[in-house]
Amino acid sequence: MPRLDARHVFQAVNALDGLLAAGAAGHAVAPVPALAAIAASQAALTAACLCPRCRFLGPVITRVATTKPEVALTFDDGPDEAMTPRILALLAEHDARASFFCIGRRARQAPQLVRAAAGAGHSIENHSWDHSPRFALFGSRRLAHEIDETQDLLADLSGQAPSCFRAPVGFRNPWLAPLLAERALRYAAWSHRAFDTLDPAPARIARRLSRALMPGAVILLHDGRNARDAAGRPVLETVLPTLLRGLQARGLRVVDLPTLLAGHDRALPSQDVPERDAAPAPRAFR
Ligand SMILES: [Zn+2]
């Protein structure tokens, strides 16, 4: 079956627009099937925008095909005054490296944390300027602004421009992939996620993450907006040491995402992992 992408949907919509225009000009068309096809195309495009790991809107990093015993940890939504230093200390204890997908506005508020993470050998990546819940509704110009402002600040603070981008909540639109390509940025999703902003039960999160103990896994965690357990502690305080010990016990080295990608073996087949164990009912974002 031929591969479909966003451009095909737009071509279909344009063709159907032409049909409707012909109808408006008095030519014979069948409006009901044409409208149904437009609705179906729009529904397919909307579904793709809301699907964080779909390749319909451009290349996406999920699980990396590698023969090396390596796993990438990624932390979103920071830097966070309370959590980022604790995470940096835990990573140092386990000689682990990670990627921090920083929100530009937060990085401007706590530049010392970005410098500290970069200075400890972690990679700093781009997670938009504002982390707007409307990100996927932005046009090309606004998206470029979100990417470029953050890119400039993080490059300045860390000494190296980010090489990966992740959209807020993973929602994208068809304008994002061309902008990333122009900037030589790769789009990073994940293979396993903890739901650590939504789930207050560390044991349940640890169980979910136990499925991520495999080479090439890209694990999504959060230093910003971490859920609190029954005692009021951020869940990662309990979960992260368990995860790091589990990875170590399996002989898996914890690396940042660019390092994992550098070991990508193109001879291996794509290794998508189906997502299971959905999060608890989400509360409103922010
Ligand atoms: Zn985020």
Side-chain angles (χ1 to χ4, degrees):
M1 193 175 142
R3 277 179 70 91
L4 285 172
D5 63 23
R7 285 168 304 172
H8 293 113
V9 173
F10 280 115
Q11 282 164 5
V13 170
N14 283 338
L16 289 164
D17 279 347
L19 270 178
L20 288 182
H27 303 294
V29 291
V32 172
L35 284 170
I38 289 174
S41 302
Q42 296 289 13
L45 183 59
T46 303
C49 292
L50 300 179
C51 173
R53 308 193 312 158
C54 292
R55 288 175 171 76
F56 191 73
L57 295 175
V60 175
I61 297 163
T62 53
R63 186 179 170 201
V64 175
T66 179
T67 52
K68 295 184 177 176
E70 291 179 340
V71 163
L73 285 193
T74 67
F75 293 92
D76 281 15
D77 295 3
D80 180 270
E81 297 275 2
M83 274 307 283
T84 308
R86 293 186 211 179
I87 289 170
L88 290 176
L90 280 168
L91 293 173
E93 254 176 57
H94 290 81
D95 193 25
R97 300 286 177 277
S99 289
F100 287 85
F101 282 82
C102 296
I103 298 173
R105 190 177 292 282
R106 289 198 170 189
R108 190 173 63 183
Q109 288 161 358
Q112 76 284 2
L113 295 176
V114 179
R115 288 195 196 98
H122 305 292
S123 87
I124 305 299
E125 309 297 345
N126 189 329
H127 194 38
S128 82
W129 181 259
D130 261 330
H131 204 281
S132 169
R134 297 184 308 280
F135 182 86
L137 302 175
F138 290 163
S140 195
R141 225 167 112 179
R142 178 73 190 270
L143 288 178
H145 171 80
E146 288 276 331
I147 297 167
D148 294 340
E149 288 287 298
T150 310
Q151 198 72 1
D152 289 349
L153 176 66
L154 296 179
D156 191 35
L157 293 176
S158 71
Q160 187 165 7
S163 62
C164 295
F165 180 85
R166 181 178 282 155
V169 206
F171 294 165
R172 295 165 288 154
N173 69 26
W175 290 272
L176 182 61
L179 291 170
L180 297 180
E182 280 167 19
R183 292 156 176 77
L185 278 164
R186 287 181 284 192
Y187 187 79
W190 53 83
S191 64
H192 297 81
R193 58 177 155 177
F195 293 109
D196 53 337
T197 59
L198 299 170
D199 194 343
R204 202 161 45 213
I205 297 174
R207 205 162 48 243
R208 198 173 285 136
L209 288 175
S210 67
R211 299 182 196 123
L213 309 183
M214 57 173 73
V218 177
I219 301 175
L220 168 59
L221 304 165
H222 291 80
D223 52 342
R225 300 190 302 113
N226 220 236
R228 305 271 163 166
D229 64 16
R233 284 180 311 231
V235 286
L236 263 198
E237 278 191 19
T238 314
V239 171
L240 188 55
T242 308
L243 175 63
L244 290 168
R245 282 196 300 272
L247 290 165
Q248 233 160 13
R250 300 274 179 119
L252 292 164
R253 210 160 68 89
V254 180
V255 298
D256 57 54
L257 187 54
T259 303
L260 184 69
L261 289 168
H264 178 201
D265 188 338
R266 291 182 193 285
L268 294 176
S270 168
Q271 299 188 338
D272 265 359
V273 180
E275 283 209 301
R276 293 181 301 170
D277 193 0
R283 57 171 195 255
F285 182 70
R286 281 213 280 203

